[in-house]
Amino acid sequence: MKSMATIAMLLALCGTAVAEEVTTEIKVKGMTCGSCVAAVHKALTRTKGVKSAEVSLEKNMAKVVYEDTQAKESDLREAIKKAGFKAEPAS
């Protein structure tokens, strides 16, 4: 019985990935006003794994904090593109 509990616990732990918060910056092209900023912010914050997003019209940039086990930077760029804007890595 004890070994069955140990095996069950090990199986449960194997499927659990440790999430790490990642911060990235993405260039956003095509924003012209506050409504554009709001649309990009909404698209990013609705993306699974995103913890926070700051979008700057002046810098044409989005700074996003997300969990790397739930999202990738390419997911964030895709969300921006679906909102109607161009997105590319900041560097």
Side-chain angles (χ1 to χ4, degrees), residues 22-26 61-66 73 76-77 89-90:
V22 177
T23 301
T24 190
E25 290 188 338
I26 301 171
M61 192 77 64
K63 183 176 180 179
V64 187
V65 178
Y66 64 96
E73 187 173 335
L76 307 176
R77 291 194 306 267

Side-chain angles (χ1 to χ4, degrees), residues 22-34:
V22 177
T23 301
T24 190
E25 290 188 338
I26 301 171
K27 286 183 189 177
V28 183
K29 295 184 179 181
M31 295 189 300
T32 59
C33 64

Side-chain angles (χ1 to χ4, degrees), residues 66-87:
Y66 64 96
E67 288 187 10
D68 65 350
T69 58
Q70 295 185 4
K72 300 178 291 207
E73 187 173 335
S74 59
D75 297 329
L76 307 176
R77 291 194 306 267
E78 185 62 29
I80 293 169
K81 289 176 185 176
K82 284 182 179 178
F85 303 92
K86 293 183 181 178

Side-chain angles (χ1 to χ4, degrees), residues 8-80:
M9 187 171 87
L10 287 173
L11 287 174
L13 290 175
C14 288
T16 306
V18 177
E20 183 176 326
E21 282 191 2
V22 177
T23 301
T24 190
E25 290 188 338
I26 301 171
K27 286 183 189 177
V28 183
K29 295 184 179 181
M31 295 189 300
T32 59
C33 64
S35 293
C36 296
V37 170
V40 171
H41 183 268
K42 183 177 180 180
L44 289 168
T45 56
R46 287 189 171 182
T47 302
K48 183 178 180 181
V50 171
K51 296 293 185 181
S52 66
E54 297 174 21
V55 183
S56 171
L57 177 61
E58 296 77 25
K59 295 179 183 179
N60 291 311
M61 192 77 64
K63 183 176 180 179
V64 187
V65 178
Y66 64 96
E67 288 187 10
D68 65 350
T69 58
Q70 295 185 4
K72 300 178 291 207
E73 187 173 335
S74 59
D75 297 329
L76 307 176
R77 291 194 306 267
E78 185 62 29
I80 293 169

